[in-house]
Amino acid sequence: MKKLLMLCVSLCLMAGIQAADIYKTSRKIVLRAPSVPLITSDTYLSIWSPYDKLTEGNTEHWTAKDHPLIGAIRVDGKTYRFMGKDKPNLPAIIPMSHSENWDASYTMDQPANDWTSIDFNDANWKKGKAAFGSKGMQRVKTLWETKDIWIRRTFDLNEDLSKETIILQYSHDDIFELYLNGVKLVETDYSWNNDVMFELNANAKKNLKKGKNVIAAHCHNQTGDAYVDFGLFRKAKDSYGFEQEAIQKSVDVLPTQTYYTFTCGKVELDLVFTAPLLLDDLDLVSTPINYISYRVRALDNKKHDVQIYIETTPELAVNDISQAVTSERIEKNGMVYLKTGTIDQPVTVRKGDGVRIDWGYAYLASDKANGKSLSLGDYYSMKDEFANRGQLKPSLDPKDLSIDMSKSMTVLAYTENLGAVDKTGKAGYVMVGYDDIYSIEYFYKRRQAYWKHDGKIDIYQAFERAKENYDSIMQKTRAFDNQLMTDAQRDGGVEYAELCALAYRQAIVAHRLIKDDEGNLLFLSKENHSNGCINTVDITYPSAPLFLLYNPELLKGMLTPIFYYSESNRWRKPYPAHDLGTYPVANGQLYGEDMPVEEAGNMILLVTALAKVEGSASYAQKHWDTLTIWANYLADKGLDPDNQLCTDDFAGHLAHNANLSIKAIMAIAGYGDLARMLGKTDIADKYTAMAKSMAIEWEKMANDGDHYKLAFDKPRTWSQKYNLVWDKVFKMNIFPPTVIAKEVPFYLTKQNKYGLPLDSRKDYTKSDWIMWSACLASNDSDFKKIISPIYKYANETPTRVPLSDWHDTHTAIPPNFKARSVVGGYFMKMLENKVSK
């Protein structure tokens, strides 16, 4: 009888899923995402919209470089743009360095006051070619390594431009001012921006003269990289753009899907971006293919003639638009592909932080069905053809396509003629993918992504599989999103659930899944926008709760490479390495300084967490000798750490770090637990007793009245003791219960508008650590009080980037960091509740 009841329940649940409207969100999301995830596969195929409305501007890679997706719908002959913003057709008056390394005079010494005027004599200035900037910046031809640079660029005009639309375009890093014939047009604060467009008003255009003109610019580099580039353009009178915007009604970000709804004249458009990141299906997680789904329904009782248009460009496959590209159209097994990539194909050569992939090929793909069409062609004429006729121009031969994007942009365009659409609606989808050929160089050998299964599967088979499984994947992702949101809301409330939804894709896609020669999974992270390291241990540590919750094998895939590095004798120190190199090259640590206590504590605690979640210490048994070396190092050095960095390295070195000491103590306790699980009773008793003894000593050294110190030698300081979370989550009972009981009420007195500061030194915070500190709360009310300011930060930050984990608690502005995997730490509360059950 019980089996029959369970079967009935399962069938009812499946029927509910099948009946669900896959084009409408299952939950309304109130949180305004700082940047909305659209296409999310890995750190390279990663497209976001940093706007409230999808039509406000170009979609971007997480580095803020254009990775354009443009969408339009034609309803009864009228076109509405629902996604992205088409580039204006801007022939150059004087070009930027994208297309020409222009000449200028420059100096790095303070010039006379009239240096911006036409008549200023710059004969004694140096001569150089643009762009001007620090080593490593894009297209730099003239090195600028001082604090200031002054640049004068002269040019001649022989026509009247007063009735034309004139655009100034510039890139700068950092504080920048620009003058046209002595009149200031641009003045920035401390910021860095690429390809900013500024339309000259009537007064500014009056300063353009027939004959000689000069643009003069000054840039002050406050810190870090430096850069200057600028040009002047006219807007072509015959250019066509999708100028009419659709009316956006809603946007909802769920864990694997983002939903938009628009009104487009007399029809409603539903748009769904799906990244099938179901962590129990490694093929799905690693396959670099996402779906863009759409449905159109009439808003009245009439039928409307409807066509859908979606495009991208070769910008998806380059680091910089100065790189030469090739594109082609391919038909294969009932599918049509538009393929694009660089001509040079420098496979796994380009490494670093704020870079894009420039090897492999991007694809726009669909089945070859009636009404569907895919075509390669000119950026402007393709749109013009769709707007006027509802179709695409015939695909050009590859030899007729421009290889130089800075002069003429190729477009990869898809359309479907839906024909007559009534209230019942019509739907379809297109796929976006990327074949990187090889993903990672791992100890001097290039490795293919997991989904290729050692070359047995190619990108075309992957697309065919994605097409065949579309219906089931859409149902599975929807069901998963529903379950995650239900669980998160139960464990932490509505705000917590919406933050987890935003963090889910971001945490996963900062990794790449491969295998080593022995068949071990390797899940290698990129330390996005903090230095570009690969497989950083103190990035793995905060991200771990998500993977412990949904697939511990992926956490093993982050730990195994670090164990291999030590056990192969490539790394011979008595504590783990910080990283394995700079992404995508994992040949050994490149970070300039070790973090001995930090990384040893991280590795042991993560192996302990794996064992607790899996109910087995078999993974620890494989690496027991290495774990023992690390545990003994912490026993010797961990209680009162020397002056060194911890994971919060942006805060600088700190001796006697109380929170770092907690990590060491908990790792020693974890080693003891692992020993007990392996039947090593004597070792277990020794290290558990050691940890408890150290915890008592810690309490004496750190006690500062109503809280505990930042560092043992610094009274009247404080810090978040987020490393205590493991004692609570796994009920290890190492620290006296009074420690947590004292800390949490103190935190509640120190919160600012946008969160609890990391410690007493600064007003900035780390939101992943706040989530861990919140888990120390003894009741739901205090938990929610601690995380609510983080929700407010995400909802209100003026910095529109993929969620930053580091921000100022007064201004909600991040000093740095974006798109990092550490937001997987948001799932600690869910992990705690899972473990408690």
Side-chain angles (χ1 to χ4, degrees), residues 309-599:
Y309 175 96
I310 293 172
E311 70 166 39
T312 188
T313 75
E315 289 166 277
L316 266 59
V318 300
N319 180 63
D320 185 78
I321 64 167
S322 64
Q323 294 179 277
V325 293
T326 181
S327 304
E328 63 177 317
R329 184 181 186 275
I330 299 168
E331 293 191 21
K332 192 179 182 74
N333 296 336
M335 298 280 291
V336 182
Y337 305 91
L338 303 180
K339 173 185 176 183
T340 187
T342 59
I343 289 176
D344 291 338
Q345 288 297 302
V347 178
T348 68
V349 170
R350 187 178 299 278
K351 58 183 181 177
D353 194 359
V355 300
R356 277 71 52 203
I357 194 168
D358 56 4
W359 71 90
Y361 298 92
Y363 290 83
L364 192 66
S366 178
D367 60 318
K368 190 178 180 181
N370 288 336
K372 293 186 176 183
S373 177
L374 290 98
S375 190
L376 293 164
D378 173 70
Y379 186 90
Y380 297 104
S381 62
M382 193 68 77
K383 295 177 181 62
D384 186 64
E385 183 74 7
F386 177 78
N388 289 321
R389 298 178 179 83
Q391 61 189 27
L392 303 181
K393 294 180 74 68
S395 196
L396 293 176
D397 189 279
K399 70 178 184 300
D400 296 323
L401 294 168
S402 172
I403 67 170
D404 187 343
M405 290 184 288
S406 65
K407 293 180 179 177
S408 177
M409 183 67 73
T410 295
V411 69
L412 291 70
Y414 161 88
T415 188
E416 181 175 7
N417 184 356
L418 296 174
V421 174
D422 59 19
K423 292 180 74 171
T424 60
K426 292 184 179 180
Y429 68 94
V430 65
M431 293 176 282
V432 179
Y434 203 106
D435 181 11
D436 58 12
I437 312 300
Y438 289 92
S439 297
I440 300 290
E441 182 178 315
Y442 181 70
F443 290 106
Y444 304 98
K445 183 177 180 180
R446 289 175 178 168
R447 308 278 171 162
Q448 294 180 331
Y450 175 89
W451 65 270
K452 292 192 172 187
H453 295 286
D454 299 319
K456 297 182 179 69
I457 303 295
D458 64 26
I459 191 66
Y460 304 107
Q461 292 168 306
F463 270 112
E464 289 170 19
R465 183 175 59 193
K467 171 187 168 291
E468 291 165 4
N469 296 333
Y470 172 76
D471 290 334
S472 64
I473 287 173
M474 292 296 285
Q475 298 291 352
K476 287 177 182 177
T477 50
R478 185 179 181 85
F480 173 79
D481 287 355
N482 262 325
Q483 189 62 59
L484 188 155
M485 297 299 288
T486 298
D487 294 345
Q489 185 171 332
R490 175 201 64 213
D491 294 345
V494 173
E495 291 185 343
Y496 177 69
E498 292 188 2
L499 284 168
C500 287
L502 180 59
Y504 183 83
R505 272 175 276 180
Q506 179 175 317
I508 296 169
V509 302
H511 298 79
R512 202 72 174 114
L513 186 64
I514 62 172
K515 292 193 296 184
D516 64 15
D517 286 339
E518 287 70 46
N520 296 307
L521 287 178
L522 309 178
F523 196 48
L524 300 168
S525 65
K526 180 175 182 181
E527 192 174 339
N528 287 341
H529 212 248
S530 46
N531 73 4
C533 281
I534 187 169
N535 204 205
T536 304
V537 175
D538 54 284
I539 294 294
T540 296
Y541 178 70
S543 73
L546 171 62
F547 303 102
L548 286 165
L549 192 62
Y550 290 110
N551 190 345
E553 293 300 318
L554 291 172
L555 180 55
K556 293 177 188 175
M558 300 181 222
L559 303 180
T560 296
I562 300 297
F563 279 115
Y564 173 77
Y565 193 25
S566 285
E567 293 164 0
S568 65
N569 286 322
R570 288 178 165 91
W571 178 263
R572 299 185 181 183
K573 298 177 182 180
Y575 47 80
H578 168 272
D579 62 83
L580 291 184
T582 301
Y583 196 95
V585 179
N587 291 334
Q589 177 171 309
L590 287 180
Y591 194 67
E593 186 172 348
D594 298 342
M595 297 184 189
V597 174
E598 174 69 38
E599 309 305 17

Side-chain angles (χ1 to χ4, degrees), residues 69 91-92 173 192 219 265 306 312 356 375 399 437 469 492 544 593 612 619 627 711 751 793:
L69 293 170
D173 186 349
W192 44 96
C219 197
V306 176
T312 188
R356 277 71 52 203
S375 190
K399 70 178 184 300
I437 312 300
N469 296 333
E593 186 172 348
K612 297 273 192 180
Y619 185 79
L627 288 168
Q751 293 202 113
Y793 151 71

Side-chain angles (χ1 to χ4, degrees), residues 112-318:
N113 291 338
D114 61 342
W115 68 276
T116 66
S117 71
I118 294 178
D119 298 327
F120 178 79
N121 185 357
D122 59 19
N124 292 327
W125 288 25
K126 296 177 181 178
K127 309 300 178 188
K129 290 187 176 293
F132 299 82
S134 52
K135 188 176 181 181
M137 295 291 278
Q138 60 182 355
R139 298 187 299 277
V140 166
K141 294 297 181 183
T142 301
L143 277 181
W144 160 36
E145 296 177 322
T146 60
K147 282 294 183 184
D148 293 89
I149 190 170
W150 290 262
I151 300 167
R152 285 173 54 87
R153 182 181 186 183
T154 59
F155 60 99
D156 290 324
L157 288 177
N158 52 20
E159 59 183 314
D160 180 7
L161 300 177
S162 61
K163 294 183 180 180
E164 301 215 28
T165 300
I166 306 300
I167 305 292
L168 171 70
Q169 189 170 350
Y170 60 91
S171 299
H172 70 99
D173 186 349
D174 298 316
I175 303 170
F176 182 66
E177 55 182 339
L178 181 144
Y179 301 79
L180 172 61
N181 294 333
V183 176
K184 183 181 286 186
L185 298 182
V186 176
E187 184 175 25
T188 76
D189 56 6
Y190 172 49
S191 61
W192 44 96
N193 298 286
N194 289 317
D195 300 327
V196 178
M197 291 189 181
F198 174 84
E199 183 177 335
L200 271 60
N201 60 28
N203 287 332
K205 285 190 288 186
K206 287 179 182 178
N207 288 312
L208 284 168
K209 307 176 185 305
K210 283 189 178 182
K212 181 180 176 181
N213 293 264
V214 63
I215 294 180
H218 166 229
C219 197
H220 173 73
N221 181 35
Q222 189 156 313
T223 186
D225 291 324
Y227 194 74
V228 173
D229 189 13
F230 53 84
L232 205 60
F233 303 83
R234 70 209 306 168
K235 188 172 183 180
K237 295 178 180 177
D238 59 349
S239 64
Y240 182 83
F242 295 160
E243 295 175 359
Q244 179 66 50
E245 293 184 5
I247 299 171
Q248 182 174 308
K249 296 172 65 178
S250 64
V251 55
D252 299 280
V253 176
L254 272 75
T256 67
Q257 296 183 300
T258 297
Y259 297 83
Y260 285 92
T261 297
F262 302 89
T263 298
C264 313
K266 298 295 185 180
V267 303
E268 181 179 81
L269 168 66
D270 294 312
L271 190 68
V272 186
F273 296 88
T274 302
L277 298 170
L278 304 177
L279 291 181
D280 60 348
D281 188 328
L282 297 184
D283 273 319
L284 272 182
V285 169
S286 65
T287 299
I289 297 172
N290 279 202
Y291 303 101
I292 304 175
S293 306
Y294 50 85
R295 181 184 59 190
V296 184
R297 296 190 291 187
L299 293 171
D300 54 20
N301 292 317
K302 298 179 181 178
K303 293 182 177 181
H304 299 277
D305 184 46
V306 176
Q307 296 83 37
I308 287 281
Y309 175 96
I310 293 172
E311 70 166 39
T312 188
T313 75
E315 289 166 277
L316 266 59
V318 300

